[in-house]
Amino acid sequence: MSSPRSVLLGQQDLDRIEALIRHRDTGDTELLFDELDGATVLPDHELPDDVVVMNSQVTFVDLDTNIESQVTLIYPGDSAATSNSVSILAPVGAALIGLRVGEHVEWPLPNGGQRRLKVVALRKPQ
């Protein structure tokens, strides 16, 4: 995944995501592993308020289509999942974690293309 940003993660999210993917097929988690490997990990209380964390509601715009979307970043099997939820294991979920409002990211699509999005707003979990 190429990206003009650095990934910021809180320690709690890192610990939970690593536990989730520890025993999964690496084909499903390759992009997420790349994000975690390049992450700067901070104590949770030091993480800036504009960073996407787990259970954040994220508004982003697709930079190729200018279509705006809103999703909540969740763990797989989360009982609070809705039609606007996206799993951390999905490519867009892996791309969103650690992204700051105003930053953009590119990630590969299964067909060999690329997708680009920019975070425009964020609501953190209560």
Side-chain angles (χ1 to χ4, degrees), residues 26-38:
T26 57
D28 291 348
T29 59
E30 186 176 344
L31 294 175
L32 187 53
F33 271 122
D34 289 347
E35 290 292 285
L36 298 180
D37 280 347

Side-chain angles (χ1 to χ4, degrees), residues 62-81:
D62 183 309
L63 295 175
D64 296 318
T65 65
N66 288 324
I67 295 174
E68 190 173 281
S69 300
Q70 188 175 76
V71 298
T72 300
L73 186 60
I74 64 166
Y75 293 101
D78 190 331
S79 62

